[in-house]
PDB file of all heavy atoms in Angstrom:
ATOM      1  N   GLY A   1     -76.789 101.399  -7.206  1.00 96.00           N
ATOM      2  CA  GLY A   1     -77.074 101.855  -5.846  1.00 96.00           C
ATOM      3  C   GLY A   1     -77.089 100.744  -4.825  1.00 96.00           C
ATOM      4  O   GLY A   1     -77.619 100.912  -3.722  1.00 96.00           O
ATOM      5  N   LYS A   2     -76.480  99.601  -5.176  1.00 96.00           N
ATOM      6  CA  LYS A   2     -76.491  98.456  -4.259  1.00 96.00           C
ATOM      7  C   LYS A   2     -75.302  98.449  -3.308  1.00 96.00           C
ATOM      8  O   LYS A   2     -75.219  97.587  -2.431  1.00 96.00           O
ATOM      9  CB  LYS A   2     -76.532  97.146  -5.051  1.00 96.00           C
ATOM     10  CG  LYS A   2     -77.846  96.946  -5.793  1.00 96.00           C
ATOM     11  CD  LYS A   2     -77.932  95.561  -6.394  1.00 96.00           C
ATOM     12  CE  LYS A   2     -79.308  95.319  -7.021  1.00 96.00           C
ATOM     13  NZ  LYS A   2     -79.424  93.955  -7.584  1.00 96.00           N
ATOM     14  N   ARG A   3     -74.362  99.370  -3.506  1.00 96.00           N
ATOM     15  CA  ARG A   3     -73.246  99.513  -2.576  1.00 96.00           C
ATOM     16  C   ARG A   3     -72.767 100.957  -2.626  1.00 96.00           C
ATOM     17  O   ARG A   3     -72.976 101.659  -3.620  1.00 96.00           O
ATOM     18  CB  ARG A   3     -72.115  98.531  -2.874  1.00 96.00           C
ATOM     19  CG  ARG A   3     -71.340  98.807  -4.141  1.00 96.00           C
ATOM     20  CD  ARG A   3     -69.929  98.270  -4.042  1.00 96.00           C
ATOM     21  NE  ARG A   3     -69.821  96.821  -3.982  1.00 96.00           N
ATOM     22  CZ  ARG A   3     -68.795  96.199  -3.412  1.00 96.00           C
ATOM     23  NH1 ARG A   3     -67.799  96.880  -2.865  1.00 96.00           N
ATOM     24  NH2 ARG A   3     -68.729  94.881  -3.399  1.00 96.00           N
ATOM     25  N   PRO A   4     -72.104 101.444  -1.567  1.00 97.00           N
ATOM     26  CA  PRO A   4     -71.603 102.810  -1.565  1.00 97.00           C
ATOM     27  C   PRO A   4     -70.364 102.927  -2.456  1.00 97.00           C
ATOM     28  O   PRO A   4     -69.847 101.909  -2.948  1.00 97.00           O
ATOM     29  CB  PRO A   4     -71.235 103.039  -0.087  1.00 97.00           C
ATOM     30  CG  PRO A   4     -70.926 101.683   0.431  1.00 97.00           C
ATOM     31  CD  PRO A   4     -71.850 100.742  -0.297  1.00 97.00           C
ATOM     32  N   PRO A   5     -69.877 104.153  -2.673  1.00 98.00           N
ATOM     33  CA  PRO A   5     -68.592 104.293  -3.360  1.00 98.00           C
ATOM     34  C   PRO A   5     -67.577 103.351  -2.724  1.00 98.00           C
ATOM     35  O   PRO A   5     -67.565 103.189  -1.495  1.00 98.00           O
ATOM     36  CB  PRO A   5     -68.226 105.764  -3.118  1.00 98.00           C
ATOM     37  CG  PRO A   5     -69.532 106.444  -2.905  1.00 98.00           C
ATOM     38  CD  PRO A   5     -70.400 105.448  -2.206  1.00 98.00           C
ATOM     39  N   THR A   6     -66.743 102.742  -3.547  1.00 98.00           N
ATOM     40  CA  THR A   6     -65.849 101.689  -3.055  1.00 98.00           C
ATOM     41  C   THR A   6     -64.431 101.916  -3.541  1.00 98.00           C
ATOM     42  O   THR A   6     -64.209 102.228  -4.710  1.00 98.00           O
ATOM     43  CB  THR A   6     -66.337 100.308  -3.537  1.00 98.00           C
ATOM     44  OG1 THR A   6     -67.653 100.068  -3.014  1.00 98.00           O
ATOM     45  CG2 THR A   6     -65.407  99.202  -3.074  1.00 98.00           C
ATOM     46  N   LEU A   7     -63.479 101.749  -2.630  1.00 98.00           N
ATOM     47  CA  LEU A   7     -62.056 101.821  -2.965  1.00 98.00           C
ATOM     48  C   LEU A   7     -61.460 100.430  -2.819  1.00 98.00           C
ATOM     49  O   LEU A   7     -61.442  99.866  -1.719  1.00 98.00           O
ATOM     50  CB  LEU A   7     -61.342 102.811  -2.044  1.00 98.00           C
ATOM     51  CG  LEU A   7     -59.817 102.897  -2.197  1.00 98.00           C
ATOM     52  CD1 LEU A   7     -59.435 103.378  -3.597  1.00 98.00           C
ATOM     53  CD2 LEU A   7     -59.219 103.803  -1.124  1.00 98.00           C
ATOM     54  N   LEU A   8     -61.007  99.856  -3.936  1.00 98.00           N
ATOM     55  CA  LEU A   8     -60.312  98.576  -3.917  1.00 98.00           C
ATOM     56  C   LEU A   8     -58.818  98.833  -3.837  1.00 98.00           C
ATOM     57  O   LEU A   8     -58.277  99.604  -4.637  1.00 98.00           O
ATOM     58  CB  LEU A   8     -60.627  97.767  -5.189  1.00 98.00           C
ATOM     59  CG  LEU A   8     -62.103  97.517  -5.509  1.00 98.00           C
ATOM     60  CD1 LEU A   8     -62.228  96.750  -6.822  1.00 98.00           C
ATOM     61  CD2 LEU A   8     -62.798  96.777  -4.377  1.00 98.00           C
ATOM     62  N   LEU A   9     -58.148  98.205  -2.883  1.00 98.00           N
ATOM     63  CA  LEU A   9     -56.697  98.330  -2.735  1.00 98.00           C
ATOM     64  C   LEU A   9     -56.065  96.962  -2.939  1.00 98.00           C
ATOM     65  O   LEU A   9     -56.519  95.968  -2.366  1.00 98.00           O
ATOM     66  CB  LEU A   9     -56.347  98.858  -1.343  1.00 98.00           C
ATOM     67  CG  LEU A   9     -56.816 100.278  -1.020  1.00 98.00           C
ATOM     68  CD1 LEU A   9     -56.484 100.624   0.427  1.00 98.00           C
ATOM     69  CD2 LEU A   9     -56.194 101.298  -1.965  1.00 98.00           C
ATOM     70  N   LEU A  10     -55.011  96.908  -3.741  1.00 98.00           N
ATOM     71  CA  LEU A  10     -54.418  95.615  -4.080  1.00 98.00           C
ATOM     72  C   LEU A  10     -53.048  95.789  -4.699  1.00 98.00           C
ATOM     73  O   LEU A  10     -52.593  96.910  -4.961  1.00 98.00           O
ATOM     74  CB  LEU A  10     -55.329  94.859  -5.037  1.00 98.00           C
ATOM     75  CG  LEU A  10     -55.597  95.495  -6.403  1.00 98.00           C
ATOM     76  CD1 LEU A  10     -55.990  94.421  -7.421  1.00 98.00           C
ATOM     77  CD2 LEU A  10     -56.728  96.515  -6.332  1.00 98.00           C
ATOM     78  N   GLU A  11     -52.391  94.666  -4.912  1.00 98.00           N
ATOM     79  CA  GLU A  11     -51.170  94.587  -5.709  1.00 98.00           C
ATOM     80  C   GLU A  11     -51.417  93.576  -6.821  1.00 98.00           C
ATOM     81  O   GLU A  11     -52.264  92.689  -6.683  1.00 98.00           O
ATOM     82  CB  GLU A  11     -49.984  94.134  -4.858  1.00 98.00           C
ATOM     83  CG  GLU A  11     -49.602  95.096  -3.749  1.00 98.00           C
ATOM     84  CD  GLU A  11     -48.507  94.524  -2.849  1.00 98.00           C
ATOM     85  OE1 GLU A  11     -47.368  94.335  -3.339  1.00 98.00           O
ATOM     86  OE2 GLU A  11     -48.799  94.239  -1.677  1.00 98.00           O
ATOM     87  N   HIS A  12     -50.687  93.731  -7.915  1.00 98.00           N
ATOM     88  CA  HIS A  12     -50.781  92.783  -9.020  1.00 98.00           C
ATOM     89  C   HIS A  12     -49.451  92.065  -9.223  1.00 98.00           C
ATOM     90  O   HIS A  12     -48.386  92.658  -8.997  1.00 98.00           O
ATOM     91  CB  HIS A  12     -51.105  93.509 -10.335  1.00 98.00           C
ATOM     92  CG  HIS A  12     -52.484  94.071 -10.409  1.00 98.00           C
ATOM     93  ND1 HIS A  12     -53.611  93.308 -10.196  1.00 98.00           N
ATOM     94  CD2 HIS A  12     -52.937  95.329 -10.700  1.00 98.00           C
ATOM     95  CE1 HIS A  12     -54.691  94.069 -10.344  1.00 98.00           C
ATOM     96  NE2 HIS A  12     -54.306  95.295 -10.644  1.00 98.00           N
ATOM     97  N   PRO A  13     -49.469  90.809  -9.691  1.00 97.00           N
ATOM     98  CA  PRO A  13     -48.251  90.231 -10.261  1.00 97.00           C
ATOM     99  C   PRO A  13     -47.836  91.067 -11.479  1.00 97.00           C
ATOM    100  O   PRO A  13     -48.615  91.880 -11.976  1.00 97.00           O
ATOM    101  CB  PRO A  13     -48.685  88.819 -10.675  1.00 97.00           C
ATOM    102  CG  PRO A  13     -49.932  88.550  -9.879  1.00 97.00           C
ATOM    103  CD  PRO A  13     -50.606  89.877  -9.706  1.00 97.00           C
ATOM    104  N   ARG A  14     -46.649  90.846 -11.987  1.00 97.00           N
ATOM    105  CA  ARG A  14     -46.090  91.675 -13.070  1.00 97.00           C
ATOM    106  C   ARG A  14     -47.024  91.682 -14.292  1.00 97.00           C
ATOM    107  O   ARG A  14     -47.355  90.631 -14.841  1.00 97.00           O
ATOM    108  CB  ARG A  14     -44.717  91.164 -13.478  1.00 97.00           C
ATOM    109  CG  ARG A  14     -43.694  91.233 -12.367  1.00 97.00           C
ATOM    110  CD  ARG A  14     -42.516  90.342 -12.671  1.00 97.00           C
ATOM    111  NE  ARG A  14     -41.544  90.997 -13.527  1.00 97.00           N
ATOM    112  CZ  ARG A  14     -40.767  90.350 -14.392  1.00 97.00           C
ATOM    113  NH1 ARG A  14     -40.893  89.042 -14.568  1.00 97.00           N
ATOM    114  NH2 ARG A  14     -39.872  91.016 -15.112  1.00 97.00           N
ATOM    115  N   VAL A  15     -47.430  92.895 -14.697  1.00 97.00           N
ATOM    116  CA  VAL A  15     -48.368  93.022 -15.802  1.00 97.00           C
ATOM    117  C   VAL A  15     -48.166  94.369 -16.491  1.00 97.00           C
ATOM    118  O   VAL A  15     -47.856  95.373 -15.853  1.00 97.00           O
ATOM    119  CB  VAL A  15     -49.830  92.880 -15.308  1.00 97.00           C
ATOM    120  CG1 VAL A  15     -50.193  93.942 -14.296  1.00 97.00           C
ATOM    121  CG2 VAL A  15     -50.813  92.892 -16.471  1.00 97.00           C
ATOM    122  N   ILE A  16     -48.316  94.368 -17.802  1.00 96.00           N
ATOM    123  CA  ILE A  16     -48.302  95.590 -18.609  1.00 96.00           C
ATOM    124  C   ILE A  16     -49.735  95.847 -19.057  1.00 96.00           C
ATOM    125  O   ILE A  16     -50.405  94.943 -19.565  1.00 96.00           O
ATOM    126  CB  ILE A  16     -47.406  95.421 -19.865  1.00 96.00           C
ATOM    127  CG1 ILE A  16     -45.975  95.024 -19.472  1.00 96.00           C
ATOM    128  CG2 ILE A  16     -47.428  96.685 -20.710  1.00 96.00           C
ATOM    129  CD1 ILE A  16     -45.217  96.042 -18.681  1.00 96.00           C
ATOM    130  N   THR A  17     -50.219  97.082 -18.871  1.00 95.00           N
ATOM    131  CA  THR A  17     -51.551  97.426 -19.371  1.00 95.00           C
ATOM    132  C   THR A  17     -51.454  98.623 -20.302  1.00 95.00           C
ATOM    133  O   THR A  17     -50.631  99.520 -20.102  1.00 95.00           O
ATOM    134  CB  THR A  17     -52.544  97.732 -18.230  1.00 95.00           C
ATOM    135  OG1 THR A  17     -52.187  98.960 -17.571  1.00 95.00           O
ATOM    136  CG2 THR A  17     -52.574  96.600 -17.220  1.00 95.00           C
ATOM    137  N   LEU A  18     -52.294  98.614 -21.308  1.00 92.00           N
ATOM    138  CA  LEU A  18     -52.328  99.686 -22.302  1.00 92.00           C
ATOM    139  C   LEU A  18     -53.721 100.301 -22.323  1.00 92.00           C
ATOM    140  O   LEU A  18     -54.711  99.589 -22.489  1.00 92.00           O
ATOM    141  CB  LEU A  18     -51.965  99.162 -23.693  1.00 92.00           C
ATOM    142  CG  LEU A  18     -50.547  98.585 -23.805  1.00 92.00           C
ATOM    143  CD1 LEU A  18     -50.599  97.065 -23.774  1.00 92.00           C
ATOM    144  CD2 LEU A  18     -49.844  99.069 -25.061  1.00 92.00           C
ATOM    145  N   GLY A  19     -53.792 101.619 -22.129  1.00 89.00           N
ATOM    146  CA  GLY A  19     -55.061 102.323 -22.066  1.00 89.00           C
ATOM    147  C   GLY A  19     -55.541 102.808 -23.414  1.00 89.00           C
ATOM    148  O   GLY A  19     -54.986 102.466 -24.467  1.00 89.00           O
ATOM    149  N   ARG A  20     -56.559 103.665 -23.382  1.00 86.00           N
ATOM    150  CA  ARG A  20     -57.239 104.087 -24.614  1.00 86.00           C
ATOM    151  C   ARG A  20     -56.338 104.864 -25.566  1.00 86.00           C
ATOM    152  O   ARG A  20     -56.563 104.858 -26.777  1.00 86.00           O
ATOM    153  CB  ARG A  20     -58.462 104.943 -24.263  1.00 86.00           C
ATOM    154  CG  ARG A  20     -59.580 104.187 -23.580  1.00 86.00           C
ATOM    155  CD  ARG A  20     -60.854 105.015 -23.515  1.00 86.00           C
ATOM    156  NE  ARG A  20     -60.657 106.323 -22.938  1.00 86.00           N
ATOM    157  CZ  ARG A  20     -60.747 106.607 -21.637  1.00 86.00           C
ATOM    158  NH1 ARG A  20     -61.016 105.634 -20.777  1.00 86.00           N
ATOM    159  NH2 ARG A  20     -60.576 107.828 -21.194  1.00 86.00           N
ATOM    160  N   LYS A  21     -55.333 105.560 -25.041  1.00 84.00           N
ATOM    161  CA  LYS A  21     -54.452 106.341 -25.906  1.00 84.00           C
ATOM    162  C   LYS A  21     -53.329 105.510 -26.519  1.00 84.00           C
ATOM    163  O   LYS A  21     -52.601 105.983 -27.384  1.00 84.00           O
ATOM    164  CB  LYS A  21     -53.841 107.501 -25.118  1.00 84.00           C
ATOM    165  CG  LYS A  21     -54.828 108.606 -24.759  1.00 84.00           C
ATOM    166  CD  LYS A  21     -54.108 109.766 -24.094  1.00 84.00           C
ATOM    167  CE  LYS A  21     -55.088 110.892 -23.760  1.00 84.00           C
ATOM    168  NZ  LYS A  21     -54.404 112.033 -23.082  1.00 84.00           N
ATOM    169  N   ALA A  22     -53.189 104.284 -26.065  1.00 86.00           N
ATOM    170  CA  ALA A  22     -52.057 103.462 -26.495  1.00 86.00           C
ATOM    171  C   ALA A  22     -52.235 102.955 -27.928  1.00 86.00           C
ATOM    172  O   ALA A  22     -53.336 102.589 -28.341  1.00 86.00           O
ATOM    173  CB  ALA A  22     -51.882 102.280 -25.553  1.00 86.00           C
ATOM    174  N   THR A  23     -51.130 102.953 -28.647  1.00 88.00           N
ATOM    175  CA  THR A  23     -51.093 102.368 -29.989  1.00 88.00           C
ATOM    176  C   THR A  23     -50.168 101.157 -30.029  1.00 88.00           C
ATOM    177  O   THR A  23     -50.154 100.419 -31.015  1.00 88.00           O
ATOM    178  CB  THR A  23     -50.585 103.392 -31.017  1.00 88.00           C
ATOM    179  OG1 THR A  23     -49.237 103.753 -30.672  1.00 88.00           O
ATOM    180  CG2 THR A  23     -51.462 104.636 -31.021  1.00 88.00           C
ATOM    181  N   GLY A  24     -49.394 100.992 -28.973  1.00 89.00           N
ATOM    182  CA  GLY A  24     -48.392  99.921 -28.943  1.00 89.00           C
ATOM    183  C   GLY A  24     -47.000 100.430 -29.234  1.00 89.00           C
ATOM    184  O   GLY A  24     -46.016  99.710 -29.032  1.00 89.00           O
ATOM    185  N   GLU A  25     -46.881 101.687 -29.688  1.00 89.00           N
ATOM    186  CA  GLU A  25     -45.565 102.209 -30.049  1.00 89.00           C
ATOM    187  C   GLU A  25     -44.650 102.381 -28.837  1.00 89.00           C
ATOM    188  O   GLU A  25     -43.425 102.465 -28.985  1.00 89.00           O
ATOM    189  CB  GLU A  25     -45.697 103.555 -30.771  1.00 89.00           C
ATOM    190  CG  GLU A  25     -46.270 104.673 -29.916  1.00 89.00           C
ATOM    191  CD  GLU A  25     -46.378 105.980 -30.690  1.00 89.00           C
ATOM    192  OE1 GLU A  25     -45.643 106.143 -31.678  1.00 89.00           O
ATOM    193  OE2 GLU A  25     -47.192 106.828 -30.299  1.00 89.00           O
ATOM    194  N   ASN A  26     -45.231 102.436 -27.629  1.00 88.00           N
ATOM    195  CA  ASN A  26     -44.404 102.608 -26.436  1.00 88.00           C
ATOM    196  C   ASN A  26     -44.082 101.293 -25.738  1.00 88.00           C
ATOM    197  O   ASN A  26     -43.539 101.283 -24.634  1.00 88.00           O
ATOM    198  CB  ASN A  26     -45.081 103.589 -25.478  1.00 88.00           C
ATOM    199  CG  ASN A  26     -45.093 104.993 -26.064  1.00 88.00           C
ATOM    200  OD1 ASN A  26     -44.067 105.486 -26.537  1.00 88.00           O
ATOM    201  ND2 ASN A  26     -46.248 105.625 -26.075  1.00 88.00           N
ATOM    202  N   LEU A  27     -44.421 100.196 -26.395  1.00 93.00           N
ATOM    203  CA  LEU A  27     -43.883  98.892 -26.010  1.00 93.00           C
ATOM    204  C   LEU A  27     -42.523  98.749 -26.685  1.00 93.00           C
ATOM    205  O   LEU A  27     -42.379  99.027 -27.878  1.00 93.00           O
ATOM    206  CB  LEU A  27     -44.803  97.764 -26.493  1.00 93.00           C
ATOM    207  CG  LEU A  27     -46.198  97.670 -25.869  1.00 93.00           C
ATOM    208  CD1 LEU A  27     -47.000  96.585 -26.581  1.00 93.00           C
ATOM    209  CD2 LEU A  27     -46.117  97.376 -24.371  1.00 93.00           C
ATOM    210  N   LEU A  28     -41.518  98.328 -25.950  1.00 93.00           N
ATOM    211  CA  LEU A  28     -40.177  98.216 -26.525  1.00 93.00           C
ATOM    212  C   LEU A  28     -39.921  96.858 -27.167  1.00 93.00           C
ATOM    213  O   LEU A  28     -38.887  96.654 -27.809  1.00 93.00           O
ATOM    214  CB  LEU A  28     -39.131  98.503 -25.446  1.00 93.00           C
ATOM    215  CG  LEU A  28     -39.190  99.912 -24.847  1.00 93.00           C
ATOM    216  CD1 LEU A  28     -38.094 100.096 -23.802  1.00 93.00           C
ATOM    217  CD2 LEU A  28     -39.069 100.978 -25.936  1.00 93.00           C
ATOM    218  N   PHE A  29     -40.868  95.943 -26.985  1.00 95.00           N
ATOM    219  CA  PHE A  29     -40.736  94.597 -27.542  1.00 95.00           C
ATOM    220  C   PHE A  29     -42.088  94.153 -28.089  1.00 95.00           C
ATOM    221  O   PHE A  29     -43.123  94.743 -27.757  1.00 95.00           O
ATOM    222  CB  PHE A  29     -40.272  93.608 -26.449  1.00 95.00           C
ATOM    223  CG  PHE A  29     -38.977  93.974 -25.807  1.00 95.00           C
ATOM    224  CD1 PHE A  29     -38.961  94.684 -24.604  1.00 95.00           C
ATOM    225  CD2 PHE A  29     -37.771  93.621 -26.390  1.00 95.00           C
ATOM    226  CE1 PHE A  29     -37.768  95.034 -23.997  1.00 95.00           C
ATOM    227  CE2 PHE A  29     -36.567  93.969 -25.788  1.00 95.00           C
ATOM    228  CZ  PHE A  29     -36.560  94.674 -24.587  1.00 95.00           C
ATOM    229  N   PRO A  30     -42.115  93.101 -28.913  1.00 94.00           N
ATOM    230  CA  PRO A  30     -43.400  92.554 -29.362  1.00 94.00           C
ATOM    231  C   PRO A  30     -44.218  92.057 -28.164  1.00 94.00           C
ATOM    232  O   PRO A  30     -43.651  91.681 -27.128  1.00 94.00           O
ATOM    233  CB  PRO A  30     -42.990  91.381 -30.266  1.00 94.00           C
ATOM    234  CG  PRO A  30     -41.583  91.667 -30.664  1.00 94.00           C
ATOM    235  CD  PRO A  30     -40.965  92.392 -29.512  1.00 94.00           C
ATOM    236  N   GLU A  31     -45.535  92.046 -28.298  1.00 93.00           N
ATOM    237  CA  GLU A  31     -46.394  91.606 -27.198  1.00 93.00           C
ATOM    238  C   GLU A  31     -46.012  90.204 -26.710  1.00 93.00           C
ATOM    239  O   GLU A  31     -46.047  89.928 -25.506  1.00 93.00           O
ATOM    240  CB  GLU A  31     -47.866  91.625 -27.627  1.00 93.00           C
ATOM    241  CG  GLU A  31     -48.423  93.027 -27.805  1.00 93.00           C
ATOM    242  CD  GLU A  31     -49.926  93.034 -28.039  1.00 93.00           C
ATOM    243  OE1 GLU A  31     -50.604  92.112 -27.526  1.00 93.00           O
ATOM    244  OE2 GLU A  31     -50.418  93.943 -28.722  1.00 93.00           O
ATOM    245  N   SER A  32     -45.641  89.336 -27.627  1.00 95.00           N
ATOM    246  CA  SER A  32     -45.290  87.968 -27.236  1.00 95.00           C
ATOM    247  C   SER A  32     -44.082  87.937 -26.312  1.00 95.00           C
ATOM    248  O   SER A  32     -43.980  87.077 -25.427  1.00 95.00           O
ATOM    249  CB  SER A  32     -45.020  87.123 -28.479  1.00 95.00           C
ATOM    250  OG  SER A  32     -43.952  87.686 -29.236  1.00 95.00           O
ATOM    251  N   TRP A  33     -43.153  88.875 -26.487  1.00 96.00           N
ATOM    252  CA  TRP A  33     -41.951  88.917 -25.637  1.00 96.00           C
ATOM    253  C   TRP A  33     -42.323  89.094 -24.171  1.00 96.00           C
ATOM    254  O   TRP A  33     -41.737  88.450 -23.295  1.00 96.00           O
ATOM    255  CB  TRP A  33     -41.033  90.061 -26.085  1.00 96.00           C
ATOM    256  CG  TRP A  33     -39.763  90.153 -25.276  1.00 96.00           C
ATOM    257  CD1 TRP A  33     -38.562  89.581 -25.566  1.00 96.00           C
ATOM    258  CD2 TRP A  33     -39.584  90.848 -24.030  1.00 96.00           C
ATOM    259  NE1 TRP A  33     -37.641  89.877 -24.584  1.00 96.00           N
ATOM    260  CE2 TRP A  33     -38.245  90.656 -23.630  1.00 96.00           C
ATOM    261  CE3 TRP A  33     -40.423  91.618 -23.220  1.00 96.00           C
ATOM    262  CZ2 TRP A  33     -37.715  91.197 -22.447  1.00 96.00           C
ATOM    263  CZ3 TRP A  33     -39.905  92.164 -22.049  1.00 96.00           C
ATOM    264  CH2 TRP A  33     -38.582  91.948 -21.667  1.00 96.00           C
ATOM    265  N   TYR A  34     -43.285  89.952 -23.901  1.00 95.00           N
ATOM    266  CA  TYR A  34     -43.672  90.208 -22.511  1.00 95.00           C
ATOM    267  C   TYR A  34     -44.224  88.948 -21.867  1.00 95.00           C
ATOM    268  O   TYR A  34     -43.855  88.602 -20.736  1.00 95.00           O
ATOM    269  CB  TYR A  34     -44.698  91.349 -22.454  1.00 95.00           C
ATOM    270  CG  TYR A  34     -44.102  92.673 -22.886  1.00 95.00           C
ATOM    271  CD1 TYR A  34     -44.192  93.095 -24.209  1.00 95.00           C
ATOM    272  CD2 TYR A  34     -43.420  93.475 -21.986  1.00 95.00           C
ATOM    273  CE1 TYR A  34     -43.622  94.287 -24.630  1.00 95.00           C
ATOM    274  CE2 TYR A  34     -42.844  94.677 -22.392  1.00 95.00           C
ATOM    275  CZ  TYR A  34     -42.938  95.071 -23.714  1.00 95.00           C
ATOM    276  OH  TYR A  34     -42.357  96.244 -24.119  1.00 95.00           O
TER     277      TYR A  34
END
């Protein structure tokens, strides 16, 4: 309760993120390749 609801807006440099459902099978290359 120390701040109101907050919307952060930004851009990222090139990055791949994998969420809770990810197993890695939808990466087309090994993690090191990225």
Side-chain angles (χ1 to χ4, degrees):
K2 292 188 174 182
R3 70 153 67 206
T6 299
L7 175 62
L8 305 178
L9 295 176
L10 62 156
E11 296 174 66
H12 290 306
R14 298 162 84 210
V15 60
I16 303 296
T17 69
L18 298 102
R20 292 191 307 271
K21 289 185 179 179
T23 63
E25 65 180 337
N26 292 312
L27 294 174
L28 298 181
F29 302 96
E31 290 188 30
S32 59
W33 181 93
Y34 294 93

